[in-house]
Amino acid sequence: MPSAFPTTNTQEADALLERIEAIDKRYQAAQRKMRSIEQLTLVLVSCSLMFGGCLALESVLKERAVINQEVSVTWKK
């Protein structure tokens, strides 16, 4: 009596398994690369925002220093 389940050619199955594993390795490498790119992008954006904030704070502090200096001069008179 024949088997209810067809038998597979082990060479075909092995070749298919090797192809699947190769595809999986490429996928994993691409995922690592994308993760690295995402992290680098996040760091660069964060640094840019911090730098912009520092520039804005610097101009505000300069304006306040000028105002404080004027107030100080006025009180001395």
Side-chain angles (χ1 to χ4, degrees):
M1 184 164 152
S3 172
F5 300 103
T7 57
T8 58
N9 184 348
T10 57
Q11 290 177 344
E12 274 184 32
D14 291 342
L16 183 60
L17 184 61
E18 287 176 14
R19 287 179 59 198
I20 291 172
E21 288 174 354
I23 291 170
D24 187 48
K25 285 181 184 179
R26 283 191 307 230
Y27 175 76
Q28 293 297 329
Q31 286 295 323
R32 282 192 301 273
K33 189 175 183 180
M34 286 302 295
R35 200 172 310 121
S36 298
I37 291 170
E38 288 172 355
Q39 290 173 351
L40 180 61
T41 302
L42 180 63
V43 167
L44 291 174
V45 168
S46 299
C47 289
S48 297
L49 290 173
M50 287 177 19
F51 182 68
C54 289
L55 290 178
L57 181 63
E58 180 185 19
S59 76
V60 168
L61 290 176
K62 282 182 181 179
E63 289 174 11
R64 286 187 184 175
V66 169
I67 292 170
N68 286 341
Q69 189 177 19
E70 290 172 355
V71 169
S72 153
V73 167
T74 304
W75 276 105
K76 288 183 181 178
K77 287 185 180 180

